[in-house]
Amino acid sequence: MSEAIRLRGIHKQFSGNPVLKGIDLDIAAGSVTVILGPSGSGKSTLLRCINHLEKLDGGTVHVGDTLIGYQRKGQALYELPEKRVAEQRQRIGMVFQQFNLFPHRTVLQNIVDAPLRIRGQKRVEVQARAMALLEQVGLAHRAEAWPRELSGGQQQRVAIARALAMQPEVMLFDEPTSALDPELVGEVLQVMKQLAHSGITMVVVTHEIGFAREVADNIVFMDHGQVVEAGDARNLLDNPQHPRLREFLASVL
Amino acid sequence: MTPRPDDDIAGLRIVGNRHWGRWASAVVVLLLLALALHSMLDNPRFEWDVVAANLTEESILNGVLMTIKLTVISVLFGFAGGTVLALMRLSSNPVLVSVSWAYTWFFRAVPMLVQLFLWYNIAALYPRLALSLPWVGEVWSAATNEVISPFSAAVLALVIHQSAYAAEIIRAGIQSVGAGQLEAAKALGYRPGQIFRQTVLPQAMRTILPPAGNEVIGQLKTTAVVSVIALQDVLYSAQIIYQRTYEVIPLLLVATAWYLLMTSLLSVLQHFVEVHFSRGNSQHRRNWLGRAVPSQESEA
Ligand SMILES: Nc1ncnc2c1ncn2[C@@H]1O[C@H](COP(=O)(O)OP(=O)(O)O)[C@@H](O)[C@H]1O
Ligand SMILES: [Mg+2]
């Protein structure tokens, strides 16, 4: 199986404080990878390095065959201008803990704007695809609503549809259900499960072990900026090797 | 079974609070208002007939046009300049940050009137203005006094003044847009210019518009200072007439009436612009008197 994402030696620090200490990771195309780890272990930072929302202090990120955020000349990596990075980000969808829908746009406008404005695709095409996506996340009837009129779970489903409308190769989820009331978590996970079966590559930071067990192909456990244990999801959940993973699983279950 | 006190509940009438205080205060205020109005209409020294006769005098109308022209030019260029200054201030380039900071610091510190005199007398500092390009040499030059008319001095001072104030308002607006919004836009693949125009500005507008509206109205009134360099705005046109006829008060009332009309129109305009940019946000909209009315969206 080919790799959709390849991380090599990722280092990142914030004002001298190392947050990622050399991450190597291969994520197979079409797979679902769940990243687990205690708060502050660097999970969000790692996701944000994949679409270059964070600059790297060392290492490389490849999505498909593309080196993300940098250009190699000899033995140096030169940061790409923002415009080029923006082009690369079109291929990487991201869903945030806080949804971050655009409050001044309706649900439908939130979804169609990027494909229209960035990709320059035809309006009829984009509109039809947006409605199909809204159907898929169960919100076709709210196409004309404003984000603030929706529940958190509905907003997050729209955010997923918005990311998918750009037809990305990979989808990154950063704790997509952590800001939701407990009774709304299920509807978002349901949408994500459907998506997992559609064959898109997904990397999901979450504390939902049930989701990981049911949907994930692989699990990566991080602690203190390092990958402590990684491997087949069931295997890792049933036979955690590292004491820190055992401790973590005991604390979240 | 004994009858219970709420058995006859169906027939009860509900009486709301009567708000006697509201009625009393309204009556007092209306009385005072009537007295003031009466004293104004009854006092012949207001010379309302002179006011009426001069209200649409040609020179007054030209003055009104000049006031509008100065306001429009200084607001348009002032806010454009203010946007550039705000972006400089928020950039990560320390030179741009300092220059923008120093500009706002200086031009907010010097009174408008002083700036106006300074620009009007700039010829004392630079008798000749010239534009030279390297290798080409001088491409344009003129005596400063030919370039600096009362009008251009007024425009310079007003635009510079306005841009310093607009910069602060726009900066606060831009900073009010959450970091999550920028990240969401970046993650979708919007380019920096698109993010600014499509995500930051429309949301910043909600924070920018109320103080900007006040700024525009303030600027309209600030233009009155140009009368000191003999530029014929509405105030100076009134002054010219009363210097001839000695009808000082009625002509000041003419100018007052025009300022009232223009600022009122601006207030109404401000309301509609604010409604436009509150799309998807406000729980309640305000009507043009500033009272909250439910928006249609919240009923949906
Ligand atoms: N922009 C930032 N500036 C400074 N420190 C940061 C920043 N972002 C994250 N950190 C720090 O990096 C560490 C890892 O953060 P994060 O990646 O958000 O962890 P996680 O998502 O696993 O909870 C934390 O200690 C956090 O305080
Ligand atoms: Mg996190």
Side-chain angles (χ1 to χ4, degrees), chain B:
Chain B
M1 217 168 86
T2 52
R4 299 226 313 262
D6 53 357
D7 273 354
D8 58 346
I9 203 163
L12 295 181
R13 197 162 57 93
I14 290 177
V15 181
N17 202 326
R18 289 294 168 83
H19 299 297
W20 297 115
R22 267 187 220 172
W23 285 100
S25 56
V27 167
V28 170
V29 169
L30 284 177
L31 262 176
L32 290 175
L33 213 60
L35 282 175
L37 211 62
H38 180 259
S39 82
M40 285 165 71
L41 294 176
D42 209 38
N43 183 346
R45 294 181 207 205
F46 274 94
E47 297 180 80
W48 292 108
D49 52 326
V50 181
V51 174
N54 283 287
L55 202 56
T56 52
E57 181 67 33
E58 193 182 340
S59 69
I60 294 286
L61 291 184
N62 285 334
V64 169
L65 281 185
M66 175 55 82
T67 295
I68 291 174
K69 200 157 126 189
L70 287 172
T71 307
V72 169
I73 291 177
S74 62
V75 164
L76 284 185
F77 287 93
F79 273 81
T83 308
V84 174
L85 285 167
L87 289 176
M88 286 169 68
R89 186 74 187 277
L90 295 171
S91 76
S92 36
N93 182 335
V95 176
L96 298 189
V97 173
S98 321
V99 168
S100 170
W101 180 86
Y103 180 100
T104 5
W105 167 75
F106 184 80
F107 288 107
R108 289 207 306 173
V110 183
M112 181 62 212
L113 195 54
V114 179
Q115 284 184 49
L116 191 60
F117 283 133
L118 276 177
W119 285 112
Y120 192 46
N121 294 301
I122 195 77
L125 289 176
Y126 298 98
R128 281 194 75 74
L129 296 177
L131 184 66
S132 305
L133 294 177
W135 298 296
V136 182
E138 193 172 281
V139 288
W140 174 87
S141 84
T144 304
N145 273 329
E146 288 167 20
V147 183
I148 295 290
S149 62
F151 181 74
S152 55
V155 163
L156 266 174
L158 287 167
V159 167
I160 287 171
H161 171 85
Q162 182 70 97
S163 61
Y165 279 87
E168 288 298 289
I169 292 173
I170 293 168
R171 176 172 71 97
I174 291 175
Q175 281 178 322
S176 75
V177 179
Q181 289 290 313
L182 297 183
E183 297 198 330
K186 275 189 187 177
L188 281 165
Y190 286 97
R191 290 189 296 275
Q194 293 174 318
I195 295 176
F196 183 70
R197 289 190 306 274
Q198 302 299 327
T199 304
V200 177
L201 258 195
Q203 294 186 63
M205 277 301 181
R206 281 184 297 127
T207 314
I208 290 174
L209 281 173
N214 295 342
E215 219 12 80
V216 172
I217 290 170
Q219 186 73 356
L220 179 104
K221 292 180 291 176
T222 302
T223 59
V225 302
V226 303
S227 57
V228 302
I229 56 170
L231 188 59
Q232 291 195 22
D233 71 329
V234 64
L235 176 60
Y236 194 67
S237 307
Q239 288 173 327
I240 291 177
I241 299 178
Y242 73 58
Q243 272 156 14
R244 181 160 39 83
T245 65
Y246 299 105
E247 295 157 332
V248 177
I249 295 293
L251 277 143
L252 286 178
L253 288 177
V254 166
T256 304
W258 278 108
Y259 282 119
L260 259 178
L261 178 70
M262 289 188 281
T263 50
S264 306
L265 288 179
L266 281 178
S267 300
V268 173
L269 186 69
Q270 179 184 12
H271 164 73
F272 285 109
V273 177
E274 279 179 23
V275 166
H276 174 76
F277 280 100
S278 70
R279 273 172 310 173
N281 272 293
S282 58
Q283 286 292 339
H284 285 91
R285 297 191 160 166
R286 285 177 189 281
N287 66 17
W288 59 278
L289 282 173
R291 300 189 62 169
V293 291
S295 68
Q296 289 118 352
E297 292 143 28
S298 58
E299 289 156 14

Side-chain angles (χ1 to χ4, degrees), chain A residues 123-199:
Chain A
R123 182 170 281 277
V124 274
E125 237 169 67
V126 173
Q127 199 101 2
R129 193 164 73 234
M131 286 314 294
L133 282 167
L134 277 175
E135 198 76 53
Q136 191 182 325
V137 302
L139 286 168
H141 62 295
R142 301 313 308 269
E144 299 305 325
W146 298 96
R148 70 165 173 81
E149 297 167 350
L150 304 182
S151 71
Q154 293 175 325
Q155 290 192 46
Q156 193 61 296
R157 287 186 277 153
V158 173
I160 294 172
R162 176 176 71 174
L164 290 172
M166 285 296 279
Q167 302 170 305
E169 296 161 35
V170 305
M171 282 284 283
L172 312 175
F173 295 82
D174 192 2
E175 301 202 30
T177 58
S178 295
L180 298 176
D181 292 337
E183 76 272 18
L184 301 178
V185 168
E187 63 190 55
V188 173
L189 292 181
Q190 190 55 41
V191 166
M192 290 171 63
K193 280 177 203 166
Q194 277 177 25
L195 195 58
H197 297 134
S198 77

Side-chain angles (χ1 to χ4, degrees), chain A residues 222-242:
Chain A
M222 286 180 68
D223 197 13
H224 293 109
Q226 284 170 321
V227 174
V228 175
E229 199 171 334
D232 176 77
R234 300 273 164 74
N235 200 4
L236 191 133
L237 287 176
D238 293 336
N239 301 304
Q241 297 300 306
H242 204 283

